[in-house]
């Protein structure tokens, strides 16, 4: 910002804030940024608190990480604050274990073989090599603390006795955002 003169969240040839954060090693499902230039830290804080959008970023209850930089320049203090909701980095086995843990309370038996579920996850053309599932669910997201409502509804029906879970790398459009791609087959 000091070199460019004008305040901007992104300059020509520069990646957006999500891509910059990802390149720095951040894993997140939400990212926002506040920028400012003023004479004092109190002035910066006051300006952000009196701007609806900046205040919302500061007080967002979904944010659990923040990075702040303040640098002195010709026009005063240049400040940047990036706010994110961190997402843990899980291996394929950890993703599958997390989803299996969410399935257990429903009473379905979890199959040890994840090959068909992983195959569906990697190639979502609804093909499996083994027994034909009664229901299959494929989704992508950053939250591994709950199951999609469609899957929960099927589990509550009582029609299914077994489940297979598979995980594979996320597909676009998540770009810099961290996401997991998961398949669950119900039998």
């Amino acid at each position: 910002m000091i070199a460019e003169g004008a305040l901007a969240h992104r300059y020509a040839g520069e990646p957006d804030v999500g891509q910059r954060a990802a390149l720095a090693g951040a894993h997140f499902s939400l990212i926002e940024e506040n920028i400012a230039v003023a004479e004092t830290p109190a002035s910066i804080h006051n300006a952000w608190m009196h701007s609806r959008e900046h205040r919302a970023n500061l007080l967002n209850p979904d944010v659990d990480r923040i990075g702040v930089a303040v640098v002195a320049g010709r026009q005063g203090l240049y400040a940047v604050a990036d706010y994110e909701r961190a997402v843990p980095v899980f291996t394929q086995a950890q993703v599958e274990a997390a989803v299996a843990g969410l399935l257990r309370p429903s009473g379905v038996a979890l199959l040890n073989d994840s090959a068909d579920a992983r195959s569906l996850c990697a190639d979502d053309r609804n093909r499996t090599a083994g027994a034909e599932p009664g229901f299959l669910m494929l989704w992508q997201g950053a939250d591994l603390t709950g199951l999609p409502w469609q899957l929960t509804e099927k589990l509550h029906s009582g029609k299914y006795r077994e489940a297979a879970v598979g995980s594979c790398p996320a597909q676009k459009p998540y770009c810099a955002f961290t996401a997991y791609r998961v398949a669950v087959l119900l039998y």
Side-chain angles (χ1 to χ4, degrees), residues 109-161:
L110 293 159
L111 301 176
N112 290 329
D113 186 3
S114 295
D116 277 347
R118 286 179 180 171
S119 174
L120 173 67
C121 184
D123 180 12
D124 60 1
R125 294 191 197 124
N126 298 342
R127 290 181 293 175
T128 59
E132 203 58 38
F135 177 77
L136 49 91
M137 179 83 208
L138 177 63
W139 77 95
Q140 181 168 296
D143 184 7
L144 291 178
T145 62
L147 298 170
W149 67 268
Q150 302 94 326
L151 179 56
T152 302
E153 202 171 81
K154 293 294 183 179
L155 290 167
H156 288 340
S157 75
K159 289 175 42 177
Y160 305 99
R161 302 287 173 240

Side-chain angles (χ1 to χ4, degrees), residues 4 10-15:
E4 294 290 333
R10 183 178 183 186
Y11 296 99
E14 180 181 53

Side-chain angles (χ1 to χ4, degrees), residues 32 34 44-45 47-61 63 66 81 83:
E32 299 290 346
N34 287 355
I44 293 167
H45 178 73
W48 285 347
M49 289 304 285
H50 286 91
S51 159
R52 189 171 51 93
E53 294 85 6
H54 294 99
R55 182 182 175 90
N57 290 344
L58 277 165
L59 302 177
N60 186 341
V63 167
I66 181 173
Y83 310 90

Side-chain angles (χ1 to χ4, degrees), residues 35-83:
I35 60 173
V37 63
E39 290 300 317
T40 67
S43 298
I44 293 167
H45 178 73
N46 189 44
W48 285 347
M49 289 304 285
H50 286 91
S51 159
R52 189 171 51 93
E53 294 85 6
H54 294 99
R55 182 182 175 90
N57 290 344
L58 277 165
L59 302 177
N60 186 341
D62 294 328
V63 167
D64 63 4
R65 301 286 190 281
I66 181 173
V68 179
V70 179
V71 176
R74 295 179 309 275
Q75 296 179 9
L77 298 175
Y78 288 78
V80 176
D82 289 337
Y83 310 90

